[in-house]
Amino acid sequence: MKTQSKYMMKLLFCIVTMVILADYLTYFISGGTYLDSWQRIIIFLGYTLIGLLIAKPFIAIFKVKQNRLLVLIGCLVISSVMTFVLKDIFIKEVVEQKIIEIIALGDKQEASSGTEVWLVGLVNQDQLVDLQELPLTEGWEYREGNLLSYQDQPNELKIKVNTGEAPTSLNFLKHAYSGKVKIVDGQEETIVDLYDAQSDYYQYNVTKESTQKLINNSILRFIEVVYLLTIILFIGIYKLKKKTKLNSNHGAKSRSSGIDLIKTIAIIFVIAVHFFLNTEFYTVPFQGINMFGQGLLRWLFMACVPLFILATGYLQCGKQVNHQYFKGIIGVLRTYLIYSILALIALSYFNHEVFTLKSGIEAVFLFSANRYSWYVNMYIGLFLLIPFLNKIHEGITDRKQYQLLIGILIFMAAMPKTLKYFPTWWIGIWPLIYYFIGAYIRKYTPHIHKGIGGLGVIILVFIQNLFSFYASKGQVFVDVTGDYASFLVVIQATLLFLMLYKVNIQNRFIKGMLALISSLTLEIYLGSFIIDTYFYPKFKAQYFVGQENVIQYIVPVVGLIIGMSLIIGVFYRKVIKLI
């Protein structure tokens, strides 16, 4: 009886967790969920389907027996309660929102003594907003409780406001030093000359039409397609698991779940690093607690590429010079070529870039078609060198000599990126540092306590971020310690690798999913550029107000891009096998 009660509690936890995650997804899409009865039924079915699809791996984590009928009944009951009984709590009222752009044009009439633009009041749905809570962009500053732009013009300030029955308005100061301002309100653009020799105020009333409705929202359509494809992927995995990576008899004993975990974390970190690249992290002032926190995440994620090369050294250190090995480069080149062609199509269709046959071929050969493909450019050379690097690896039989080799490589390629007064000629060989560290770990299997390693990573991330924060001096982000070649990043990535490479995951589903993602990291990496090309412009148009606000979306955005890239990668592999 006690065992059955414990099972029921774990089952209930699994189902409730997935339903809450589903609710969060709907809230992320538009700040609210649907309101009428028919649309609540759609939400109810969505909750139930998510519960049925994903409760199984959650149950597997807790190692409890699964009763399919019980899972179905549990999903139906809890989804019904949350959708219909507790609708006021879990189905949030839709708030129609829009982003108002205030552009200080840097223009004025002859009589004005300046081009100042003062925003002195914001009333959002009859509620007075504290202007100091609004995120600033370059060229704007807080002055006496108001917002002022008088330099670095033209510049723009984006403000997210609600629209509804209650009025929303912006109030500007008009005086002898005022210039012209453009107000972009959805499809409407209004240019106002704020000059007034006697001083006065101008009030702009925001229109009630929303630019972020649930219906006909392109980003919502995109997420729905991804959601549908993800469901199809999960169903396909369950139905065909005997023929896929999820089959425990298909090479499971030959794979290292620790290395698969490292590669999975590495690809997540890559997509997360690109999140900062595709927002405005590198173009806004690096100041304040919020940006300091984003900097910490950015430095943590910088271990991404080093983790991949460490894993390469660990896995490839036994490869020899032979024809079979060098044939392996064909698969890498084929994947790169196909994804580069897809990238050119995406750039042409989504970004309206023009490519001729000649420029397209040049872009492929110069590794600029897919703009994340610098790693492939590097990896081709590393791949060709690996059998010969392994001669060095095998020839060093003394542990201290191997440590000396790694130390010399760090001195030549990593220290110059972190500290001044070191010779800089050999910085470009930094991938060899990680390769030989990975090979060293495979050869000597060192161990580190996970608590000590985790603390070391936290300290290193904090130090690097502190250096950048201090060097930026309130301006844009400055990378003072170096990127992947940084001595501090070398230590950080090595500690992460040592913490994880011996992890032994027993759960077959999780182990299989890690193996699937690990085997598709190149496809996910190159495919993410295609997704990013489409997704980020629409994401920024709909949700971006300021860099300080955008960080709340990092988890769903990164998860969405990885999910979509994984689906494309699985489809690509299936097509290649058929060919």
Side-chain angles (χ1 to χ4, degrees), residues 271-327:
I271 306 302
V273 165
H274 291 165
F275 176 87
F276 292 106
L277 179 67
N278 286 290
T279 53
E280 296 185 1
F281 176 83
Y282 296 103
T283 60
V284 300
F286 189 49
Q287 59 184 2
I289 295 176
N290 183 290
M291 291 302 295
F292 187 85
Q294 292 190 40
L296 290 173
L297 290 176
R298 185 261 184 195
W299 276 113
L300 173 64
F301 299 147
M302 284 300 290
C304 55
V305 170
L307 286 175
F308 274 124
I309 307 178
L310 285 167
T312 301
Y314 185 91
L315 296 171
Q316 302 293 320
C317 61
K319 299 298 183 181
Q320 301 296 323
V321 179
N322 55 58
H323 177 71
Q324 189 63 31
Y325 170 77
F326 287 109
K327 280 179 63 178

Short mmCIF file of all heavy atoms in Angstrom, two decimals, residues 271-327:
data_model
loop_
_atom_site.label_atom_id
_atom_site.label_comp_id
_atom_site.label_asym_id
_atom_site.label_seq_id
_atom_site.Cartn_x
_atom_site.Cartn_y
_atom_site.Cartn_z
N ILE A 271 24.32 27.25 -28.52
CA ILE A 271 23.09 27.96 -28.88
C ILE A 271 22.85 29.13 -27.93
O ILE A 271 22.37 30.20 -28.33
CB ILE A 271 21.88 27.00 -28.85
CG1 ILE A 271 22.15 25.76 -29.73
CG2 ILE A 271 20.62 27.71 -29.30
CD1 ILE A 271 22.45 26.08 -31.17
N ALA A 272 23.22 28.95 -26.65
CA ALA A 272 23.05 30.02 -25.67
C ALA A 272 24.02 31.17 -25.94
O ALA A 272 23.66 32.35 -25.80
CB ALA A 272 23.26 29.47 -24.25
N VAL A 273 25.25 30.87 -26.34
CA VAL A 273 26.20 31.93 -26.72
C VAL A 273 25.66 32.72 -27.90
O VAL A 273 25.77 33.96 -27.95
CB VAL A 273 27.58 31.31 -27.08
CG1 VAL A 273 28.45 32.31 -27.82
CG2 VAL A 273 28.29 30.87 -25.81
N HIS A 274 25.04 32.03 -28.85
CA HIS A 274 24.47 32.71 -30.02
C HIS A 274 23.26 33.56 -29.63
O HIS A 274 22.92 34.51 -30.36
CB HIS A 274 24.08 31.69 -31.09
CG HIS A 274 25.27 31.03 -31.72
ND1 HIS A 274 25.18 29.88 -32.47
CD2 HIS A 274 26.58 31.36 -31.70
CE1 HIS A 274 26.37 29.54 -32.90
NE2 HIS A 274 27.25 30.42 -32.45
N PHE A 275 22.60 33.22 -28.52
CA PHE A 275 21.50 34.06 -28.03
C PHE A 275 22.02 35.46 -27.74
O PHE A 275 21.40 36.46 -28.11
CB PHE A 275 20.90 33.44 -26.78
CG PHE A 275 19.82 34.28 -26.14
CD1 PHE A 275 18.50 34.17 -26.55
CD2 PHE A 275 20.12 35.17 -25.12
CE1 PHE A 275 17.50 34.94 -25.96
CE2 PHE A 275 19.13 35.95 -24.53
CZ PHE A 275 17.82 35.83 -24.95
N PHE A 276 23.15 35.54 -27.07
CA PHE A 276 23.74 36.86 -26.78
C PHE A 276 24.22 37.54 -28.06
O PHE A 276 24.11 38.76 -28.20
CB PHE A 276 24.90 36.70 -25.80
CG PHE A 276 24.47 36.27 -24.43
CD1 PHE A 276 24.70 34.99 -23.98
CD2 PHE A 276 23.82 37.15 -23.58
CE1 PHE A 276 24.30 34.57 -22.72
CE2 PHE A 276 23.41 36.76 -22.31
CZ PHE A 276 23.65 35.47 -21.89
N LEU A 277 24.75 36.75 -29.00
CA LEU A 277 25.22 37.30 -30.27
C LEU A 277 24.08 37.89 -31.08
O LEU A 277 24.24 38.94 -31.73
CB LEU A 277 25.92 36.20 -31.07
CG LEU A 277 26.47 36.59 -32.45
CD1 LEU A 277 27.60 37.59 -32.31
CD2 LEU A 277 26.94 35.35 -33.20
N ASN A 278 22.92 37.27 -31.04
CA ASN A 278 21.79 37.68 -31.88
C ASN A 278 20.85 38.68 -31.20
O ASN A 278 19.91 39.14 -31.84
CB ASN A 278 21.00 36.45 -32.32
CG ASN A 278 21.72 35.66 -33.40
OD1 ASN A 278 21.85 36.10 -34.52
ND2 ASN A 278 22.21 34.49 -33.03
N THR A 279 21.08 38.97 -29.93
CA THR A 279 20.35 40.07 -29.29
C THR A 279 21.29 41.28 -29.28
O THR A 279 22.08 41.44 -30.21
CB THR A 279 19.87 39.66 -27.89
OG1 THR A 279 20.97 39.16 -27.11
CG2 THR A 279 18.81 38.56 -27.99
N GLU A 280 21.25 42.10 -28.28
CA GLU A 280 22.08 43.32 -28.31
C GLU A 280 23.05 43.38 -27.13
O GLU A 280 23.45 44.45 -26.69
CB GLU A 280 21.19 44.56 -28.35
CG GLU A 280 20.34 44.63 -29.61
CD GLU A 280 19.53 45.91 -29.72
OE1 GLU A 280 19.64 46.76 -28.82
OE2 GLU A 280 18.77 46.05 -30.70
N PHE A 281 23.45 42.19 -26.65
CA PHE A 281 24.35 42.12 -25.51
C PHE A 281 25.65 42.89 -25.76
O PHE A 281 26.16 43.57 -24.87
CB PHE A 281 24.67 40.66 -25.18
CG PHE A 281 25.65 40.47 -24.07
CD1 PHE A 281 25.24 40.52 -22.75
CD2 PHE A 281 26.99 40.24 -24.34
CE1 PHE A 281 26.15 40.35 -21.71
CE2 PHE A 281 27.91 40.07 -23.32
CZ PHE A 281 27.49 40.13 -22.00
N TYR A 282 26.18 42.79 -26.97
CA TYR A 282 27.48 43.38 -27.27
C TYR A 282 27.40 44.83 -27.74
O TYR A 282 28.44 45.42 -28.03
CB TYR A 282 28.20 42.54 -28.34
CG TYR A 282 28.52 41.14 -27.89
CD1 TYR A 282 27.75 40.05 -28.31
CD2 TYR A 282 29.57 40.89 -27.02
CE1 TYR A 282 28.03 38.76 -27.90
CE2 TYR A 282 29.87 39.59 -26.59
CZ TYR A 282 29.10 38.54 -27.04
OH TYR A 282 29.37 37.26 -26.62
N THR A 283 26.21 45.40 -27.80
CA THR A 283 26.07 46.77 -28.30
C THR A 283 25.48 47.74 -27.28
O THR A 283 25.38 48.93 -27.57
CB THR A 283 25.20 46.79 -29.57
OG1 THR A 283 23.91 46.26 -29.27
CG2 THR A 283 25.84 45.96 -30.68
N VAL A 284 25.06 47.24 -26.11
CA VAL A 284 24.49 48.12 -25.09
C VAL A 284 25.49 48.27 -23.95
O VAL A 284 26.41 47.44 -23.81
CB VAL A 284 23.15 47.56 -24.55
CG1 VAL A 284 22.14 47.43 -25.68
CG2 VAL A 284 23.35 46.22 -23.86
N PRO A 285 25.35 49.29 -23.12
CA PRO A 285 26.28 49.47 -22.00
C PRO A 285 26.28 48.25 -21.07
O PRO A 285 25.23 47.76 -20.67
CB PRO A 285 25.74 50.72 -21.30
CG PRO A 285 25.02 51.48 -22.36
CD PRO A 285 24.41 50.43 -23.25
N PHE A 286 27.48 47.79 -20.75
CA PHE A 286 27.64 46.65 -19.85
C PHE A 286 27.73 47.17 -18.42
O PHE A 286 28.80 47.29 -17.84
CB PHE A 286 28.90 45.86 -20.24
CG PHE A 286 29.04 44.54 -19.52
CD1 PHE A 286 27.99 43.64 -19.47
CD2 PHE A 286 30.24 44.19 -18.92
CE1 PHE A 286 28.13 42.42 -18.82
CE2 PHE A 286 30.38 42.99 -18.27
CZ PHE A 286 29.33 42.10 -18.22
N GLN A 287 26.56 47.46 -17.86
CA GLN A 287 26.50 48.04 -16.52
C GLN A 287 25.21 47.59 -15.84
O GLN A 287 24.24 47.22 -16.48
CB GLN A 287 26.54 49.57 -16.61
CG GLN A 287 25.40 50.18 -17.42
CD GLN A 287 25.52 51.68 -17.56
OE1 GLN A 287 26.47 52.29 -17.09
NE2 GLN A 287 24.56 52.30 -18.22
N GLY A 288 25.22 47.64 -14.49
CA GLY A 288 24.04 47.25 -13.73
C GLY A 288 24.05 45.77 -13.37
O GLY A 288 24.76 44.96 -13.98
N ILE A 289 23.24 45.42 -12.38
CA ILE A 289 23.19 44.05 -11.88
C ILE A 289 22.69 43.08 -12.95
O ILE A 289 23.19 41.97 -13.11
CB ILE A 289 22.30 43.97 -10.63
CG1 ILE A 289 22.92 44.79 -9.50
CG2 ILE A 289 22.10 42.52 -10.19
CD1 ILE A 289 22.07 44.86 -8.25
N ASN A 290 21.67 43.51 -13.70
CA ASN A 290 21.10 42.64 -14.73
C ASN A 290 22.15 42.26 -15.77
O ASN A 290 22.31 41.08 -16.10
CB ASN A 290 19.91 43.34 -15.39
CG ASN A 290 19.22 42.46 -16.42
OD1 ASN A 290 19.74 42.17 -17.47
ND2 ASN A 290 18.01 42.03 -16.11
N MET A 291 22.87 43.24 -16.30
CA MET A 291 23.88 42.96 -17.31
C MET A 291 25.05 42.19 -16.73
O MET A 291 25.67 41.36 -17.41
CB MET A 291 24.36 44.27 -17.95
CG MET A 291 23.31 44.96 -18.80
SD MET A 291 22.71 43.91 -20.16
CE MET A 291 24.19 43.74 -21.16
N PHE A 292 25.37 42.42 -15.46
CA PHE A 292 26.42 41.65 -14.81
C PHE A 292 26.02 40.17 -14.76
O PHE A 292 26.84 39.28 -15.01
CB PHE A 292 26.68 42.17 -13.39
CG PHE A 292 27.86 41.54 -12.72
CD1 PHE A 292 29.15 42.03 -12.92
CD2 PHE A 292 27.71 40.44 -11.88
CE1 PHE A 292 30.25 41.45 -12.31
CE2 PHE A 292 28.81 39.84 -11.26
CZ PHE A 292 30.07 40.36 -11.48
N GLY A 293 24.75 39.91 -14.44
CA GLY A 293 24.24 38.54 -14.43
C GLY A 293 24.29 37.91 -15.81
O GLY A 293 24.65 36.73 -15.96
N GLN A 294 23.94 38.68 -16.86
CA GLN A 294 24.03 38.16 -18.21
C GLN A 294 25.48 37.85 -18.58
O GLN A 294 25.76 36.88 -19.29
CB GLN A 294 23.44 39.17 -19.20
CG GLN A 294 21.93 39.36 -19.06
CD GLN A 294 21.34 40.17 -20.20
OE1 GLN A 294 21.72 40.02 -21.34
NE2 GLN A 294 20.40 41.05 -19.88
N GLY A 295 26.39 38.69 -18.10
CA GLY A 295 27.80 38.44 -18.34
C GLY A 295 28.27 37.13 -17.72
O GLY A 295 29.06 36.39 -18.32
N LEU A 296 27.77 36.83 -16.53
CA LEU A 296 28.12 35.56 -15.88
C LEU A 296 27.68 34.38 -16.75
O LEU A 296 28.43 33.41 -16.94
CB LEU A 296 27.46 35.47 -14.51
CG LEU A 296 28.01 36.40 -13.41
CD1 LEU A 296 27.14 36.31 -12.17
CD2 LEU A 296 29.46 36.04 -13.07
N LEU A 297 26.45 34.45 -17.27
CA LEU A 297 25.96 33.38 -18.14
C LEU A 297 26.80 33.28 -19.41
O LEU A 297 27.16 32.18 -19.84
CB LEU A 297 24.49 33.64 -18.50
CG LEU A 297 23.47 33.48 -17.37
CD1 LEU A 297 22.09 33.87 -17.86
CD2 LEU A 297 23.46 32.04 -16.85
N ARG A 298 27.11 34.43 -19.97
CA ARG A 298 27.90 34.43 -21.21
C ARG A 298 29.25 33.75 -20.99
O ARG A 298 29.70 32.94 -21.79
CB ARG A 298 28.07 35.88 -21.67
CG ARG A 298 28.78 36.03 -23.01
CD ARG A 298 30.25 36.36 -22.82
NE ARG A 298 30.92 36.61 -24.08
CZ ARG A 298 32.24 36.63 -24.21
NH1 ARG A 298 33.02 36.42 -23.17
NH2 ARG A 298 32.80 36.85 -25.39
N TRP A 299 29.91 34.06 -19.87
CA TRP A 299 31.23 33.46 -19.61
C TRP A 299 31.10 31.98 -19.30
O TRP A 299 31.97 31.19 -19.66
CB TRP A 299 31.92 34.19 -18.46
CG TRP A 299 32.63 35.43 -18.92
CD1 TRP A 299 32.34 36.72 -18.62
CD2 TRP A 299 33.78 35.48 -19.78
NE1 TRP A 299 33.21 37.58 -19.25
CE2 TRP A 299 34.11 36.84 -19.97
CE3 TRP A 299 34.55 34.51 -20.43
CZ2 TRP A 299 35.18 37.24 -20.76
CZ3 TRP A 299 35.62 34.92 -21.22
CH2 TRP A 299 35.92 36.26 -21.37
N LEU A 300 30.04 31.56 -18.64
CA LEU A 300 29.82 30.13 -18.40
C LEU A 300 29.67 29.39 -19.73
O LEU A 300 30.28 28.34 -19.94
CB LEU A 300 28.57 29.92 -17.54
CG LEU A 300 28.12 28.47 -17.35
CD1 LEU A 300 29.18 27.67 -16.60
CD2 LEU A 300 26.78 28.41 -16.63
N PHE A 301 28.87 29.95 -20.64
CA PHE A 301 28.60 29.30 -21.91
C PHE A 301 29.82 29.28 -22.83
O PHE A 301 29.85 28.51 -23.80
CB PHE A 301 27.44 29.99 -22.63
CG PHE A 301 26.15 29.94 -21.86
CD1 PHE A 301 25.23 30.99 -21.94
CD2 PHE A 301 25.84 28.86 -21.05
CE1 PHE A 301 24.04 30.95 -21.23
CE2 PHE A 301 24.64 28.81 -20.35
CZ PHE A 301 23.75 29.86 -20.43
N MET A 302 30.85 30.11 -22.54
CA MET A 302 32.03 30.15 -23.40
C MET A 302 32.84 28.86 -23.35
O MET A 302 33.78 28.68 -24.12
CB MET A 302 32.93 31.33 -23.01
CG MET A 302 32.42 32.68 -23.47
SD MET A 302 32.25 32.80 -25.26
CE MET A 302 33.97 32.81 -25.76
N ALA A 303 32.47 27.94 -22.47
CA ALA A 303 33.13 26.64 -22.44
C ALA A 303 32.64 25.72 -23.55
O ALA A 303 33.11 24.59 -23.68
CB ALA A 303 32.91 25.97 -21.08
N CYS A 304 31.73 26.19 -24.38
CA CYS A 304 31.06 25.34 -25.37
C CYS A 304 32.03 24.69 -26.35
O CYS A 304 32.12 23.45 -26.42
CB CYS A 304 29.99 26.15 -26.11
SG CYS A 304 30.61 27.67 -26.89
N VAL A 305 32.73 25.49 -27.13
CA VAL A 305 33.65 24.94 -28.14
C VAL A 305 34.79 24.17 -27.49
O VAL A 305 35.15 23.07 -27.96
CB VAL A 305 34.17 26.07 -29.05
CG1 VAL A 305 35.31 25.57 -29.93
CG2 VAL A 305 33.04 26.61 -29.93
N PRO A 306 35.41 24.69 -26.40
CA PRO A 306 36.43 23.88 -25.73
C PRO A 306 35.95 22.50 -25.31
O PRO A 306 36.70 21.52 -25.43
CB PRO A 306 36.79 24.74 -24.51
CG PRO A 306 36.57 26.14 -24.97
CD PRO A 306 35.37 26.05 -25.85
N LEU A 307 34.72 22.38 -24.85
CA LEU A 307 34.19 21.06 -24.46
C LEU A 307 34.14 20.12 -25.65
O LEU A 307 34.44 18.92 -25.53
CB LEU A 307 32.80 21.21 -23.85
CG LEU A 307 32.73 21.78 -22.43
CD1 LEU A 307 31.28 21.99 -21.99
CD2 LEU A 307 33.44 20.87 -21.44
N PHE A 308 33.78 20.64 -26.82
CA PHE A 308 33.74 19.81 -28.03
C PHE A 308 35.14 19.30 -28.38
O PHE A 308 35.32 18.12 -28.71
CB PHE A 308 33.17 20.59 -29.21
CG PHE A 308 31.67 20.56 -29.29
CD1 PHE A 308 30.95 21.74 -29.31
CD2 PHE A 308 30.99 19.37 -29.34
CE1 PHE A 308 29.57 21.73 -29.38
CE2 PHE A 308 29.60 19.34 -29.43
CZ PHE A 308 28.89 20.53 -29.44
N ILE A 309 36.13 20.19 -28.32
CA ILE A 309 37.48 19.76 -28.71
C ILE A 309 38.08 18.84 -27.67
O ILE A 309 38.82 17.89 -28.00
CB ILE A 309 38.38 20.99 -28.96
CG1 ILE A 309 37.72 21.95 -29.97
CG2 ILE A 309 39.73 20.55 -29.53
CD1 ILE A 309 38.50 23.21 -30.24
N LEU A 310 37.78 19.07 -26.39
CA LEU A 310 38.20 18.13 -25.35
C LEU A 310 37.63 16.74 -25.61
O LEU A 310 38.33 15.72 -25.48
CB LEU A 310 37.75 18.64 -23.98
CG LEU A 310 38.52 19.82 -23.38
CD1 LEU A 310 37.76 20.39 -22.19
CD2 LEU A 310 39.91 19.39 -22.95
N ALA A 311 36.35 16.70 -25.98
CA ALA A 311 35.70 15.42 -26.29
C ALA A 311 36.34 14.77 -27.53
O ALA A 311 36.51 13.55 -27.59
CB ALA A 311 34.20 15.61 -26.51
N THR A 312 36.73 15.60 -28.51
CA THR A 312 37.41 15.08 -29.69
C THR A 312 38.73 14.43 -29.31
O THR A 312 39.05 13.32 -29.76
CB THR A 312 37.67 16.21 -30.71
OG1 THR A 312 36.42 16.79 -31.10
CG2 THR A 312 38.38 15.68 -31.94
N GLY A 313 39.52 15.10 -28.47
CA GLY A 313 40.78 14.51 -28.02
C GLY A 313 40.57 13.23 -27.25
O GLY A 313 41.32 12.25 -27.42
N TYR A 314 39.54 13.21 -26.43
CA TYR A 314 39.24 12.02 -25.62
C TYR A 314 38.84 10.84 -26.50
O TYR A 314 39.24 9.70 -26.25
CB TYR A 314 38.11 12.37 -24.64
CG TYR A 314 37.79 11.27 -23.65
CD1 TYR A 314 38.43 11.21 -22.42
CD2 TYR A 314 36.83 10.30 -23.95
CE1 TYR A 314 38.13 10.19 -21.51
CE2 TYR A 314 36.51 9.29 -23.05
CZ TYR A 314 37.17 9.25 -21.82
OH TYR A 314 36.88 8.24 -20.94
N LEU A 315 38.03 11.11 -27.53
CA LEU A 315 37.48 10.03 -28.36
C LEU A 315 38.40 9.62 -29.51
O LEU A 315 38.36 8.47 -29.96
CB LEU A 315 36.12 10.45 -28.91
CG LEU A 315 35.00 10.68 -27.89
CD1 LEU A 315 33.79 11.30 -28.56
CD2 LEU A 315 34.62 9.37 -27.20
N GLN A 316 39.20 10.56 -30.03
CA GLN A 316 39.96 10.31 -31.25
C GLN A 316 41.43 10.00 -31.01
O GLN A 316 42.18 9.82 -31.97
CB GLN A 316 39.86 11.53 -32.18
CG GLN A 316 38.45 11.92 -32.57
CD GLN A 316 37.79 10.89 -33.45
OE1 GLN A 316 38.40 10.31 -34.34
NE2 GLN A 316 36.51 10.65 -33.22
N CYS A 317 41.86 9.94 -29.77
CA CYS A 317 43.30 9.80 -29.50
C CYS A 317 43.85 8.44 -29.91
O CYS A 317 45.06 8.23 -29.88
CB CYS A 317 43.60 10.08 -28.03
SG CYS A 317 42.79 8.95 -26.87
N GLY A 318 42.99 7.51 -30.29
CA GLY A 318 43.45 6.20 -30.74
C GLY A 318 43.48 6.04 -32.24
O GLY A 318 43.86 4.97 -32.75
N LYS A 319 43.09 7.06 -32.99
CA LYS A 319 43.02 6.95 -34.45
C LYS A 319 44.43 6.88 -35.06
O LYS A 319 45.35 7.57 -34.62
CB LYS A 319 42.26 8.14 -35.04
CG LYS A 319 40.82 8.25 -34.56
CD LYS A 319 40.00 7.04 -34.98
CE LYS A 319 38.54 7.18 -34.56
NZ LYS A 319 37.74 6.00 -34.94
N GLN A 320 44.56 6.05 -36.11
CA GLN A 320 45.84 5.85 -36.77
C GLN A 320 45.79 6.38 -38.20
O GLN A 320 44.73 6.67 -38.75
CB GLN A 320 46.18 4.36 -36.79
CG GLN A 320 46.25 3.71 -35.42
CD GLN A 320 47.37 4.27 -34.57
OE1 GLN A 320 48.46 4.58 -35.07
NE2 GLN A 320 47.12 4.41 -33.26
N VAL A 321 46.97 6.51 -38.81
CA VAL A 321 47.07 6.96 -40.20
C VAL A 321 46.67 5.80 -41.10
O VAL A 321 47.42 4.83 -41.27
CB VAL A 321 48.51 7.42 -40.53
CG1 VAL A 321 48.59 7.87 -41.99
CG2 VAL A 321 48.95 8.53 -39.60
N ASN A 322 45.48 5.88 -41.67
CA ASN A 322 45.03 4.86 -42.62
C ASN A 322 43.94 5.44 -43.51
O ASN A 322 43.35 6.49 -43.21
CB ASN A 322 44.53 3.59 -41.91
CG ASN A 322 43.44 3.87 -40.90
OD1 ASN A 322 42.39 4.41 -41.23
ND2 ASN A 322 43.69 3.51 -39.63
N HIS A 323 43.67 4.74 -44.58
CA HIS A 323 42.70 5.20 -45.57
C HIS A 323 41.31 5.31 -44.98
O HIS A 323 40.57 6.26 -45.28
CB HIS A 323 42.70 4.23 -46.76
CG HIS A 323 41.69 4.56 -47.82
ND1 HIS A 323 41.81 5.65 -48.65
CD2 HIS A 323 40.51 3.94 -48.17
CE1 HIS A 323 40.77 5.70 -49.47
NE2 HIS A 323 39.98 4.68 -49.20
N GLN A 324 40.94 4.36 -44.14
CA GLN A 324 39.60 4.35 -43.56
C GLN A 324 39.35 5.59 -42.72
O GLN A 324 38.25 6.16 -42.74
CB GLN A 324 39.41 3.08 -42.72
CG GLN A 324 37.98 2.85 -42.25
CD GLN A 324 37.01 2.63 -43.39
OE1 GLN A 324 37.39 2.10 -44.44
NE2 GLN A 324 35.77 3.07 -43.23
N TYR A 325 40.37 6.00 -41.97
CA TYR A 325 40.19 7.19 -41.12
C TYR A 325 39.94 8.43 -41.97
O TYR A 325 39.00 9.20 -41.71
CB TYR A 325 41.41 7.42 -40.24
CG TYR A 325 41.36 8.76 -39.53
CD1 TYR A 325 40.54 8.94 -38.42
CD2 TYR A 325 42.07 9.86 -40.00
CE1 TYR A 325 40.45 10.17 -37.79
CE2 TYR A 325 41.98 11.10 -39.38
CZ TYR A 325 41.17 11.24 -38.27
OH TYR A 325 41.07 12.47 -37.65
N PHE A 326 40.76 8.65 -42.98
CA PHE A 326 40.65 9.88 -43.78
C PHE A 326 39.36 9.92 -44.59
O PHE A 326 38.89 11.01 -44.96
CB PHE A 326 41.87 10.05 -44.69
CG PHE A 326 43.12 10.45 -43.94
CD1 PHE A 326 44.15 9.56 -43.77
CD2 PHE A 326 43.23 11.71 -43.37
CE1 PHE A 326 45.29 9.91 -43.08
CE2 PHE A 326 44.36 12.07 -42.67
CZ PHE A 326 45.40 11.18 -42.51
N LYS A 327 38.76 8.75 -44.86
CA LYS A 327 37.45 8.74 -45.54
C LYS A 327 36.37 9.40 -44.67
O LYS A 327 35.36 9.86 -45.18
CB LYS A 327 37.04 7.30 -45.87
CG LYS A 327 37.70 6.73 -47.11
CD LYS A 327 37.26 5.29 -47.34
CE LYS A 327 35.77 5.22 -47.59
NZ LYS A 327 35.33 3.82 -47.86
#
